[in-house]
Amino acid sequence: MTEDRTHTTAPGHLMAAEISEQPQVLDRIASTDTEPLTALVRHLQGHPTRAVLLAARGTSDHTALYAKYLIETQLRLPVGLVSTSTFTGYGTRPDLTGVVWICVSQSGGSPDLVESTAAARSGGALTIAVTNTPSSPLQDAAQLHLPMLAGPELSVAATKTYTASLMRLWQLVTAWSGGDLAPGHFVSKVAAAALDLPEVAQVASRYRFVDRMVTTSRGFAYPTAREAALKLMETCYLSAHAFSGADLLHGPFAMIDEDRPVVVIVPPGAGGQMLDPVLDRLTERGADVCLVGATGTRTAQVRIPLPEDLPEQLAPIVQIIPLQQLALQLALSRHHDPDRPRGLRKVTETT
């Protein structure tokens, strides 16, 4: 019998349960019949694509940023992140012939995403909706649909829909480029190993009374830094700023001191190598650094080690899990209920 989690009142129980469900969700995605994905890819491979546009909001915006890295590196196509207000607020109707439009939305109900996707379709784009709902206005507005397959998500803070959408977009782009989907079968096992890391509780205890924090990374892990900052803001009500490591070394570096912890997500591969000068400067600054991931011989005040069994492109699906746990544990230690953040709803309506 499936437990009805809506009747449990313990703060954070929904978020905790949905974080724990992620290995199962990822295994389901990897094991699902690939024919719907194959059919979608056939459309893409027969399409004269000159560019890709990605539309999303909130957590899904970080998924879209991840997809941008995937498409630029695997397909070598120009990719843009859409400003939906140019369609909904300014009434712009560009010629999008030869453009693939991918809109990511957990609910598929945000009016600005629905309207801009419909406008893109009328402008000649091949439109794809990536949603977690069996039927939605966004799915109706688009020509093609890719389900996230995360199952119902009840907590306001998105967790399993984020990792599910990363996995689905990795599958989509990899199949589109003619790549091998087999590595995706290992993700759920690595995700399960990342669920209960004792170091997360140590970091949560260290930062319990922190009001300001910075998250940073490079490459495929940069969306992880942005998603981690969002989770910390919406569940713990602290001021969390996410920067690319390259941008951090410009103006924002002036605000770094020992009272503003910096969470550095260090991926394997080129992304981790690009962070070397950032870590050097943070060490010189005397910053309170928390290293997450493949940390090598680097020293830091605290660290959250992660399994290094995944290639850099797949690593973001696992990197975010201990940071979701950190947001949950910090929120509970501050006597907040992360399932019901102040003033937030599951579906945000914007125009």
Side-chain angles (χ1 to χ4, degrees):
M1 179 180 295
T2 302
E3 178 188 3
D4 184 356
R5 291 183 272 114
T6 61
H7 290 85
T8 306
T9 58
H13 72 281
L14 293 175
M15 186 177 179
E18 288 166 357
I19 290 172
S20 296
E21 287 173 24
Q22 289 175 110
Q24 297 168 270
V25 170
L26 296 168
D27 182 63
R28 178 166 66 244
I29 292 171
S31 305
T32 295
D33 177 18
T34 59
E35 177 53 35
L37 176 66
T38 302
L40 195 158
V41 168
R42 279 198 292 265
H43 279 277
L44 290 169
Q45 291 177 336
H47 183 262
T49 306
R50 61 182 174 89
V52 178
L53 291 177
L54 297 160
R57 290 289 190 197
T59 284
S60 295
D61 200 36
H62 306 148
T63 304
L65 180 58
Y66 168 75
K68 184 176 189 293
Y69 279 95
L70 283 175
I71 295 166
E72 288 177 345
T73 56
Q74 290 196 34
L75 294 165
R76 300 182 181 181
L77 288 169
V79 184
L81 297 175
V82 172
S83 300
T84 57
S85 62
T86 62
F87 294 84
T88 60
Y90 294 98
T92 303
R93 295 294 182 266
D95 179 2
L96 297 179
T97 304
V99 170
V100 171
W101 173 286
I102 303 174
C103 187
V104 187
S105 172
Q106 300 156 35
S107 69
S110 297
D112 61 335
L113 296 178
V114 174
E115 181 181 340
S116 58
T117 297
R121 182 174 180 176
S122 66
L126 176 63
T127 52
I128 302 171
V130 183
T131 72
N132 194 46
T133 50
S135 179
S136 69
L138 180 60
Q139 183 178 342
D140 293 339
Q143 292 147 286
L144 302 170
H145 179 238
L146 182 66
M148 292 181 188
L149 303 176
E153 186 174 67
L154 303 178
S155 177
V156 172
T159 53
K160 64 178 181 174
T161 53
Y162 178 66
T163 51
S165 57
L166 293 181
M167 183 74 162
R168 289 300 264 166
L169 285 165
W170 175 82
Q171 287 182 325
L172 176 64
V173 177
T174 300
W176 185 3
S177 66
D180 183 9
L181 294 178
H185 289 278
F186 299 100
V187 176
S188 61
K189 180 179 179 181
V190 183
L195 273 178
D196 298 305
L197 300 173
E199 293 85 357
V200 174
Q202 298 167 13
V203 176
S205 176
R206 181 181 181 88
Y207 295 153
R208 179 179 177 184
F209 299 106
V210 165
D211 292 322
R212 302 171 299 169
M213 192 176 291
V214 167
T215 62
T216 187
S217 193
R218 294 292 305 272
F220 285 95
Y222 174 42
T224 308
R226 293 184 56 166
E227 174 62 11
L230 176 60
K231 287 292 158 285
L232 291 165
M233 287 188 283
E234 70 180 339
T235 61
C236 305
Y237 316 138
L238 57 79
S239 177
H241 298 273
F243 298 99
S244 152
D247 289 332
L248 180 64
L249 293 185
H250 290 273
F253 196 78
M255 70 178 177
I256 300 299
D257 57 33
E258 64 274 9
D259 297 321
R260 189 187 301 264
V262 183
V263 177
V264 186
I265 299 97
V266 186
Q273 295 168 14
M274 290 187 285
L275 280 169
D276 283 342
V278 180
L279 291 167
D280 289 340
R281 290 287 303 279
L282 289 171
T283 299
E284 293 170 5
R285 189 78 166 188
D288 186 331
V289 173
C290 172
L291 290 180
V292 180
T295 57
T297 59
R298 287 281 182 176
T299 59
Q301 283 77 5
V302 285
R303 63 175 65 219
I304 301 174
L306 282 177
E308 299 180 22
D309 297 329
L310 293 175
E312 184 177 0
Q313 291 185 348
L314 282 169
I317 302 171
V318 174
Q319 289 163 343
I320 191 60
I321 292 175
L323 295 168
Q324 294 169 343
Q325 295 276 28
L326 176 62
L328 170 65
Q329 293 188 30
L330 269 178
L332 294 176
S333 72
R334 296 168 180 229
H335 307 292
H336 303 314
D337 185 355
D339 290 335
R340 300 172 180 82
R342 293 194 299 251
L344 296 181
R345 294 181 295 175
K346 187 64 177 171
V347 180
T348 301
E349 296 186 359
T350 54
T351 57

